[in-house]
Amino acid sequence: MKEAFLYEKLDNKAVHCRLCAHQCLIRDGAYGICGVRQNSDGVFYSLVYGKPIACNVDPVEKKPLYHFLPGSFSLSIATRGCNFRCGFCQNWEISQSRKEEAARQDVRDCPPEAIVAAAVKNKCGSISYTYTEPTIYFEYAYETARLAKDKGLYNIFVTNGYMSKDALEMIRPFLDAANVDLKFFRDSSYRKVCGGSLQPVLDTIALMKKMGVWVEVTTLVIPGQNDSTEELRDIARFIAGVDRDIPWHISRFYPNYQMQDIEPTSEPVLKRTQEIGISAGLNFIYVGNVYGWGDDTICPSCKKLLIRRKVFDILENKVENGACSYCGRTIAGVFRKK
């Protein structure tokens, strides 16, 4: 076990975890809401440090990040656990693992040095902390990210955005990009479906942008849950209010986990959501989990096709040194120099 970062010792061997917006108060022997951090005799521990449950080489587009080193590969890691309880989670088998499962999992120890070495060996440009919520394995992500920087690698969080300001400020020197899930724009939905609240997620997106982290936002459009015109318009307007150049990934829902009885999102609803984003002034809107449309990058000025994609493959890239090769407009993002 690894002693946790960002906690305070209280009376009677209790602790206060300051890692995420839950701000858990945890008695001796108990666990945080995430289920993978435990108070043992007044000392708070991470149970998943150095114990990745998943490690894969992915296209960075799979995160999804479309304006961050497009066409590159990212070593993607995760441990068990999450600080949300989303009923639509596609990785619920590992994200919803709890307590003794995390402590006793049959996973070989893999220290940060080994993760970084694997990224270098596989010619990855970055390491992504993804699949589950990276905040709950923060110590592991932090120490891996710090070593990755020394090797010239970038670091990416794929996150629900429920981290504390303290955690974000601590990881900031080593964090280059993030895709943040903005699941709803109604606090009641966050509380009912995810076991969290809305405002901390909005604060994280705004603070990341202010800190200079490259940010993209994903919304899974779920029929009957968050697909009203009003709610989608609120999401789009919020993103545009932070920065119109933040890419918005609209993702198609498929039945999963505790939401097996909901039909997949229809393409007309996805196209309506895309139009809502355009009306809100967003410059880059992408549609995921569909085939054949919605994933190309178009120049906001001259409307020429700049990056043509097929699923996660780059078929054509006309962004040169961060600008449109046709009209010269700067394209927001982090692009490799040609």
Side-chain angles (χ1 to χ4, degrees):
M1 295 191 298
K2 171 81 170 180
E3 185 172 1
F5 296 164
L6 297 175
Y7 81 97
E8 297 171 349
K9 296 184 178 182
L10 305 176
D11 293 338
N12 299 316
K13 295 184 178 180
V15 300
H16 171 206
C17 179
R18 298 189 291 109
L19 187 60
C20 84
H22 286 305
Q23 296 288 302
C24 293
L25 299 176
I26 306 162
R27 67 182 185 278
D28 185 20
Y31 299 81
I33 286 174
C34 62
V36 296
R37 305 169 74 78
Q38 184 182 24
N39 179 357
S40 178
D41 199 30
V43 180
F44 201 38
Y45 292 99
S46 167
L47 306 179
V48 292
Y49 181 91
K51 295 181 181 296
I53 194 66
C55 184
N56 300 293
V57 175
D58 291 330
V60 75
E61 285 78 13
K62 192 176 180 180
K63 300 305 99 192
L65 287 174
Y66 278 15
H67 287 238
F68 189 83
L69 304 179
S72 69
F73 289 95
S74 187
L75 187 75
S76 301
I77 66 169
T79 72
R80 294 182 187 270
C82 189
N83 53 359
F84 274 6
R85 302 285 189 274
C86 305
F88 48 81
C89 182
Q90 64 179 358
N91 293 320
W92 63 270
E93 295 95 339
I94 56 175
S95 71
Q96 299 307 306
S97 295
R98 290 294 183 267
K99 300 177 182 178
E100 290 82 2
E101 289 178 312
R104 300 172 185 171
Q105 58 184 305
D106 184 21
V107 176
R108 181 179 299 176
D109 285 341
C110 189
E113 294 84 355
I115 295 296
V116 174
V120 173
K121 179 181 178 180
N122 286 280
K123 297 181 172 56
C124 295
S126 61
I127 298 176
S128 290
Y129 310 86
T130 179
Y131 305 138
T132 62
E133 173 51 44
T135 305
I136 61 94
Y137 56 93
F138 186 80
E139 297 78 10
Y140 190 30
Y142 176 88
E143 295 191 358
T144 302
R146 180 172 52 83
L147 294 176
K149 273 294 181 182
D150 292 339
K151 295 294 184 180
L153 299 171
Y154 292 92
N155 292 292
I156 297 166
F157 267 23
V158 180
T159 175
N160 59 28
Y162 215 60
M163 65 191 66
S164 67
K165 181 180 179 182
D166 291 336
L168 187 51
E169 288 177 341
M170 187 172 180
I171 194 69
R172 172 59 195 99
F174 312 109
L175 183 63
D176 300 288
N179 186 294
V180 182
D181 281 341
L182 182 50
K183 302 172 189 291
F184 304 96
F185 212 81
R186 302 291 181 265
D187 191 69
S188 58
S189 297
Y190 260 98
R191 293 183 183 278
K192 178 181 178 181
V193 180
C194 305
S197 55
L198 171 62
Q199 193 59 49
V201 182
L202 304 182
D203 293 343
T204 290
I205 293 170
L207 185 55
M208 280 183 170
K209 189 65 185 179
K210 184 177 179 181
M211 287 179 167
V213 176
W214 175 253
V215 178
E216 304 192 19
V217 172
T218 294
T219 300
L220 181 68
V221 181
I222 308 173
Q225 299 287 323
N226 65 352
D227 63 339
S228 71
T229 297
E230 294 76 13
E231 185 162 0
L232 293 169
R233 184 181 295 126
D234 288 343
I235 292 173
R237 286 175 174 173
F238 166 77
I239 298 170
V242 177
D243 191 331
R244 292 173 58 191
D245 280 337
I246 292 177
W248 187 25
H249 297 266
I250 304 159
S251 190
R252 186 181 198 181
F253 168 84
Y254 283 97
N256 209 341
Y257 191 30
Q258 297 172 340
M259 292 190 175
Q260 299 282 346
D261 57 341
I262 298 178
E263 293 294 320
T265 320
S266 70
E267 291 201 16
V269 168
L270 296 173
K271 290 178 179 178
R272 172 170 58 87
T273 306
Q274 189 179 42
E275 291 168 359
I276 287 169
I278 293 170
S279 297
L282 292 173
N283 287 323
F284 304 104
I285 304 162
Y286 300 102
V287 182
N289 288 343
V290 296
Y291 185 78
W293 66 279
D295 54 3
D296 294 335
T297 298
I298 308 297
C299 176
S301 293
C302 69
K303 308 303 179 183
K304 293 288 184 65
L305 190 154
L306 296 180
I307 303 178
R308 185 160 60 94
R309 299 179 177 87
K310 184 177 182 180
V311 190
F312 301 126
D313 293 330
I314 302 293
L315 303 181
E316 185 178 14
N317 187 349
K318 295 295 185 180
V319 177
E320 295 184 1
N321 300 323
C324 172
S325 61
Y326 298 102
C327 71
R329 185 195 196 277
T330 298
I331 305 300
V334 178
F335 300 94
R336 292 177 291 187
K337 292 184 178 180
K338 293 185 178 181

